[in-house]
């Protein structure tokens, strides 16, 4: 009887913790390490982490007061921005806006908005790092790619490095999203080493089966000392500067799930963007580097395409 009561009490604590984690994330512990995926992943052969949640949380009064002051300040700022207009800007400015810089890298605080990951999480040997470049005018994503598969008996593939932006959060750790509905073109200024990269965009999902869905498009870096402006502009000046300028419309991104292209393709929701990232997995061992000046958006009035891929209607059985 005592054992049954103890098991029911533990089950109730688990349910209460899950409810508090989903409704009040500000009171739940968060990891300070730069990881991309959920901490529930466990490598084959490793024991599960059964540490109780109350041992991972700082319940001190000082920490609680600091958190409440921070989140109430964010809540007041959100209220003022909402009264001012969409995104904290006047409505007229939003309607006439043609370009926008979403991320730039000029100070160390800008690097805190990004997460670095590699196959080390699954037992691989690749290494990836992120730092400010020369004169603090760009971000340098660099490391070594290694395709050796971990010998755990279950993992079949390895060899990837990823740079991904953190999902925006509001007061009390509420999940937010970027609204890019006023734009239709992604504008990047990068300088690579000749390797092919994948640009990843994740949008907000409503079902647990869609957590691994990503929208991808290819980014072919040229290598060399010159910058690439990923935007569709060609002129004598750009040819003289050896800049390869082309465009990545949002309509060109195709749907994948866990690295596999899906048969059913659906357009990206530009008003529900959560993260943007870069992935290197070209199966070529060796060092790599990618310099990023800024990541922005453009509104190309000449581009009217809504989606570049065929949409198949499912036939009911």
């Amino acid at each position: 009887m005592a054992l049954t009561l103890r098991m029911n009490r533990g089950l109730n604590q688990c349910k209460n913790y899950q409810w508090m984690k989903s409704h009040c994330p500000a009171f739940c512990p968060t990891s300070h390490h730069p990881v991309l995926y959920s901490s529930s992943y466990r490598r084959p052969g490793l024991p599960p982490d059964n540490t109780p949640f109350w041992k991972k949380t700082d319940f001190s009064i000082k920490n609680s007061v600091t958190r409440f002051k921070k989140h109430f300040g964010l809540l007041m700022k959100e209220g003022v921005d909402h009264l001012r207009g969409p995104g904290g800007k006047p409505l007229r400015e939003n309607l006439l806006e043609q370009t926008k810089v979403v991320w730039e890298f000029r100070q160390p605080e800008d690097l805190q908005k990004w997460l670095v990951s590699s196959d080390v999480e699954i037992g691989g040997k690749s290494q990836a790092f992120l730092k400010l470049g020369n004169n603090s005018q760009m971000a340098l994503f660099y490391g070594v790619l290694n395709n050796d598969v971990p010998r755990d008996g279950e993992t079949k593939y390895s060899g990837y490095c990823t740079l991904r932006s953190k999902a925006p959060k509001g007061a009390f750790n509420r999940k937010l999203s970027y609204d890019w509905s006023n734009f239709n073109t992604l504008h990047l200024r990068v300088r690579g080493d000749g390797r092919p990269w994948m640009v990843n965009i994740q949008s907000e999902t409503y079902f647990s089966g869609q957590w691994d869905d990503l929208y991808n498009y290819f980014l072919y870096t040229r290598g060399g000392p010159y910058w690439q402006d990923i935007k569709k502009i060609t002129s004598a000046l750009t040819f003289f500067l050896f800049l390869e300028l082309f465009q990545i419309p949002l309509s060109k991104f195709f749907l994948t799930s866990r690295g596999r292209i899906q048969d059913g393709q659906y357009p990206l929701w530009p008003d529900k963007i959560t993260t943007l990232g870069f992935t290197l997995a070209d199966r070529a061992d060796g060092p790599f580097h990618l310099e990023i000046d800024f990541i922005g958006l453009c509104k190309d009035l000449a581009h009217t395409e809504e989606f570049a891929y065929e949409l198949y209607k499912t036939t009911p059985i």
Side-chain angles (χ1 to χ4, degrees):
M1 184 67 179
L3 179 61
T4 304
L5 291 175
R6 188 173 303 172
M7 291 175 63
N8 291 334
R9 188 181 306 167
L11 182 60
N12 290 332
Q13 288 177 350
C14 256
K15 290 181 178 179
N16 292 337
Y17 173 66
Q18 295 296 334
W19 181 91
M20 180 167 38
K21 184 176 181 181
S22 59
H23 291 79
C24 304
F27 296 98
C28 297
T30 56
S31 175
H32 296 282
H33 300 286
V35 295
L36 285 182
Y37 306 101
S38 172
S39 59
S40 60
Y41 173 80
R42 179 166 53 91
R43 285 186 56 201
L46 294 181
D49 184 12
N50 297 322
T51 306
F53 75 93
W54 58 83
K55 293 185 178 181
K56 303 178 182 179
T57 309
D58 184 7
F59 291 103
S60 64
I61 298 179
K62 181 179 179 181
N63 183 55
S64 302
V65 172
T66 303
R67 282 178 174 267
F68 271 104
K69 289 175 63 177
K70 172 185 175 182
H71 289 291
F72 272 114
L74 291 175
L75 186 62
M76 293 181 61
K77 182 179 182 301
E78 290 179 7
V80 173
D81 291 344
H82 180 73
L83 295 176
R84 185 178 302 169
K89 299 179 181 179
L91 181 60
R92 176 182 175 84
E93 184 177 344
N94 278 274
L95 293 177
L96 299 178
E97 194 174 26
Q98 300 292 324
T99 61
K100 179 181 180 180
V101 175
V102 184
W103 293 282
E104 59 181 355
F105 305 92
R106 301 295 182 266
Q107 49 190 350
E109 289 75 14
D110 296 331
L111 301 182
Q112 301 302 320
K113 303 176 183 178
W114 293 80
L115 300 171
V116 176
S117 177
S118 68
D119 54 25
V120 173
E121 296 181 351
I122 61 173
K125 300 179 181 180
S126 300
Q127 297 180 350
F129 309 94
L130 180 66
K131 69 176 184 178
L132 286 177
N134 297 333
N135 301 323
S136 300
Q137 295 296 315
M138 59 185 174
L140 176 60
F141 181 48
Y142 67 101
V144 179
L145 188 68
N146 193 316
N147 292 285
D148 292 344
V149 179
R151 300 182 179 180
D152 53 19
E154 295 188 19
T155 306
K156 297 181 179 180
Y157 305 100
S158 184
Y160 70 87
C161 293
T162 303
L163 176 66
R164 190 177 185 182
S165 65
K166 292 182 180 180
K169 290 186 178 181
F172 299 100
N173 287 346
R174 294 179 297 108
K175 293 182 179 180
L176 302 178
S177 59
Y178 298 105
D179 185 1
W180 294 355
S181 57
N182 197 34
F183 308 94
N184 59 4
T185 303
L186 184 66
H187 187 182
L188 309 173
R189 190 166 193 259
V190 300
R191 182 164 59 186
D193 54 1
R195 284 176 177 259
W197 293 75
M198 186 74 76
V199 183
N200 314 312
I201 296 180
Q202 187 174 32
S203 60
E204 187 177 329
T205 57
Y206 293 99
F207 304 101
S208 59
Q210 299 174 326
W211 285 350
D212 297 318
D213 289 358
L214 284 176
Y215 284 86
N216 307 93
Y217 197 71
F218 306 103
L219 173 63
Y220 296 101
T221 59
R222 182 177 54 248
Y226 302 105
W227 286 95
Q228 287 180 260
D229 282 331
I230 315 302
K231 190 174 180 296
K232 189 177 181 181
I233 296 179
T234 55
S235 64
L237 178 60
T238 57
F239 179 79
F240 177 74
L241 294 176
F242 299 97
L243 294 178
E244 182 182 355
L245 307 183
F246 55 94
Q247 184 182 20
I248 304 183
L250 297 180
S251 62
K252 297 293 185 182
F253 284 83
F254 52 88
L255 177 63
T256 64
S257 180
R258 297 188 178 184
R260 298 182 180 272
I261 301 177
Q262 300 301 292
D263 292 334
Q265 292 290 324
Y266 307 96
L268 174 66
W269 291 354
D271 59 335
K272 298 292 183 180
I273 304 298
T274 55
T275 63
L276 181 141
F278 304 88
T279 299
L280 176 66
D282 60 353
R283 312 299 297 172
D285 292 342
F288 68 88
H289 74 270
L290 179 68
E291 297 172 278
I292 307 173
D293 187 3
F294 66 86
I295 302 171
L297 300 167
C298 296
K299 185 176 182 180
D300 187 0
L301 299 178
H303 183 78
T304 59
E305 183 182 56
E306 295 183 1
F307 195 54
Y309 310 102
E310 296 181 1
L311 300 177
Y312 297 96
K313 295 183 179 179
T314 57
T315 304
I317 298 177

